[in-house]
Amino acid sequence: MMNSDCLLTRETGESAMGARKRASKEPAGVAAKPESGDSKPVPTPDDASSEPKITPSKAPLMFKCTAIFSIPYFYLIYYHYGIESELRRSIIINAIISLLGYFVTLAMIPVASKYLVRRNLFGYDINKRGTPQGTIKVPESLGIVVGTVFLVVAILFQYFNFTADSNWLVEYNAALASICFMMMLGFVDDVLDVPWRVKLLLPSIAALPLLMAYAGHTTIVIPKPLVQYVGLEILDLGWIYKLYMWLLAIFCTNSINIHAGINGLEVGQTVVIAAAILIHNIMQIGASTGPEYKQAHAFSIYLAQPLLGTSLALLSYNWYPSLVFVGDTFTYFAGMTMAVVGILGHFSETLLIFFTPQVLNFLLSLPQLAGIIPCPRHRLPKFDPQTRLLTGTNDGTLVNFFLRQFGRMSEQTLCVVLLLFQVWLCGCFRCIIFLLKVRGLYA
């Protein structure tokens, strides 16, 4: 609720612990004090400029990026690998439905944004404080739109691919249940602003349907150079493997949430990882001879393509300068979806490799998360409204680490650099895996 003296706001620019949404201390209608040397008053959130402007989006740019990615992707599907026609047909049908999901999400975001602002689910961009952009009400929690369209697309695809007695149908629906559960809990977090210690428990609850329905293998293949030391080529971990899957779901969900803080980063890293997952799956299908192994990777594609399509639509609005904020709803939903994709696609170890920047960010954050070093609520870079550049602080995040190492950058440039770093690592590690397989050192 709001009174006449205090405006409840939702400040974005997630900290490393996803902390946000606190009441503004400035009374409504009172102008903020200008920065030193600046004689012009800073607009207040009650000005006309604070009304959200949801259009135009960067959809043409995102569509061009999608077209560039599609060229090598469909080349691998149609020409490079001899993928069976039935399997290829299913992948193409899923891609077409995912494309429709992209356009539906693109159309729904402006509509949903208006309703979210009316319910006071909006934020002010912390990295633009002291500028007119910093006073605009930006709709929050738009991940609810992406997640809803994703679930509709994934459910509709069942009609084209699965029969009532399909062995994969149980795991497919269990995966959707976990994703839906996580999306709901993420939206609850956006609305209620639950404590960080509770945030850790949310993915563990949402992962239960997936773990209970999982009927795949619980073994790992020992790299051939290590077989002589271990004495086994295949090691069955049993319940320990399920414990690993449970921890992986918790990590993937929270790692997207804490590697954040600048426009486009949360959705951008999701797009990059989803694209890497698709390329990896196609390569594995092409190199495999076992039908069950191929179906597992195809299963992963059926969920990764809708994730990529809907996320690209959201990125069209979330790219700098962000017109919407994704909220914990999206970060939890995206993290759980990628965890599900890796687990049911039987490449959870490779998935963790694709999350290398997120692992690095977690290691940098660990001293503050563990309370060894004081942890502020917002671990964001310092923004200079005069130069519009970001300066790295001593907080343990990959965002601040890059700024400390490479100097001050604009928010957009920093996001591009971080995403290129993600692309580079995904590409390098995938090439290493490919070379190891060629040499017979990796199964």
Side-chain angles (χ1 to χ4, degrees):
M1 299 293 293
M2 293 188 299
N3 56 40
S4 58
D5 297 323
C6 182
L7 175 65
L8 183 63
T9 66
R10 293 176 180 273
E11 294 183 339
T12 192
E14 291 84 347
S15 72
M17 296 192 301
R20 56 218 285 181
K21 309 187 253 325
R22 284 294 180 265
S24 172
K25 300 301 181 181
E26 293 295 335
V30 178
K33 294 181 180 180
E35 299 290 330
S36 58
D38 186 2
S39 59
K40 297 181 180 180
V42 178
T44 66
D46 288 337
D47 292 341
S49 62
S50 65
E51 292 301 317
K53 298 177 181 178
I54 310 303
T55 55
S57 69
K58 295 89 176 175
L61 174 62
M62 295 303 133
F63 204 75
K64 290 177 182 178
C65 294
T66 304
I68 294 173
F69 166 75
S70 299
I71 293 173
Y73 179 62
F74 288 108
Y75 168 78
L76 293 176
I77 293 176
Y78 275 99
Y79 299 105
H80 191 73
Y81 295 113
I83 299 177
E84 295 85 348
S85 59
E86 187 65 26
L87 185 57
R88 186 171 58 203
R89 172 181 170 275
S90 297
I91 294 174
I92 298 303
I93 290 175
N94 184 267
I96 293 172
I97 300 177
S98 300
L99 183 62
L100 293 176
Y102 167 83
F103 288 112
V104 172
T105 306
L106 208 62
M108 285 183 61
I109 286 177
V111 178
S113 298
K114 297 177 182 178
Y115 287 98
L116 290 170
V117 171
R118 290 175 190 173
R119 301 305 301 170
N120 294 323
L121 287 171
F122 62 85
Y124 297 111
D125 201 327
I126 294 178
N127 286 330
K128 297 179 182 63
R129 275 181 174 173
T131 68
Q133 287 181 320
T135 65
I136 297 174
K137 294 178 181 178
V138 183
E140 182 89 29
S141 304
L142 265 299
I144 192 68
V145 175
V146 176
T148 302
V149 176
F150 169 89
L151 289 172
V152 171
V153 168
I155 292 171
L156 287 177
F157 176 68
Q158 295 186 55
Y159 174 79
F160 297 97
N161 192 69
F162 296 109
T163 59
D165 58 347
S166 175
N167 294 330
W168 288 93
L169 192 58
V170 174
E171 290 191 357
Y172 190 82
N173 285 324
L176 296 184
S178 289
I179 293 168
C180 182
F181 206 171
M182 194 67 257
M183 183 181 69
M184 180 192 71
L185 293 174
F187 190 71
V188 169
D189 182 25
D190 280 335
V191 175
L192 301 182
D193 190 20
V194 300
W196 173 244
R197 59 184 177 275
V198 179
K199 292 176 187 284
L200 287 175
L201 296 177
L202 298 182
S204 62
I205 297 171
L208 288 177
L210 174 65
L211 295 177
M212 295 301 102
Y214 181 77
H217 68 78
T218 57
T219 60
I220 59 173
V221 179
I222 304 299
K224 292 187 178 180
L226 301 179
V227 170
Q228 57 179 330
Y229 301 104
V230 179
L232 295 170
E233 292 186 0
I234 299 177
L235 178 63
D236 190 354
L237 298 178
W239 66 269
I240 298 178
Y241 190 85
K242 286 199 172 184
L243 176 62
Y244 164 74
M245 292 191 300
W246 181 64
L247 295 174
L248 179 68
I250 296 175
F251 172 77
C252 289
T253 305
N254 285 287
S255 65
I256 298 293
N257 193 35
I258 67 175
H259 185 37
I262 58 178
N263 292 172
L265 183 56
E266 298 98 317
V267 193
Q269 61 186 297
T270 300
V271 168
V272 171
I273 297 173
I277 287 172
L278 289 175
I279 295 293
H280 171 76
N281 282 318
I282 292 298
M283 294 178 71
Q284 291 299 104
I285 291 174
S288 175
T289 56
E292 184 177 352
Y293 192 74
K294 289 185 177 182
Q295 187 59 44
H297 284 284
F299 185 99
S300 176
I301 292 175
Y302 301 153
L303 294 176
Q305 286 186 152
L307 174 65
L308 180 61
T310 53
S311 296
L312 280 169
L314 180 58
L315 188 59
S316 300
Y317 294 94
N318 185 244
W319 190 253
Y320 181 92
S322 182
L323 304 174
V324 301
F325 292 143
V326 301
D328 290 341
T329 310
F330 176 79
T331 57
Y332 286 169
F333 150 76
M336 179 58 72
T337 303
M338 288 186 284
V340 165
V341 161
I343 291 170
L344 296 185
H346 299 165
F347 62 95
S348 54
E349 301 89 349
T350 304
L351 178 68
L352 202 56
I353 291 176
F354 291 155
F355 272 77
T356 301
Q358 287 71 27
V359 173
L360 294 175
N361 184 67
F362 172 74
L363 294 176
L364 290 171
S365 302
L366 197 56
Q368 288 184 310
L369 297 179
I372 301 173
I373 298 175
C375 183
R377 180 163 182 78
H378 295 291
R379 303 191 302 164
L380 296 174
K382 184 178 180 182
F383 175 70
D384 184 355
Q386 304 298 325
T387 62
R388 295 178 178 265
L389 297 178
L390 297 174
T391 304
T393 66
N394 291 324
D395 291 313
T397 65
L398 200 61
V399 170
N400 285 306
F401 176 80
F402 265 65
L403 288 172
R404 291 196 301 268
Q405 295 299 315
F406 302 108
R408 299 195 301 168
M409 302 181 198
S410 67
E411 187 174 1
Q412 184 176 15
T413 301
L414 177 60
C415 185
V416 171
V417 170
L418 288 168
L419 293 181
L420 288 177
F421 178 64
Q422 182 104 39
V423 171
W424 179 75
L425 284 180
C426 287
C428 285
F429 282 122
R430 189 60 192 85
C431 290
I432 291 172
I433 293 173
F434 176 76
L435 292 175
L436 289 175
K437 287 190 174 187
V438 170
R439 293 177 177 270
L441 300 177
Y442 186 89

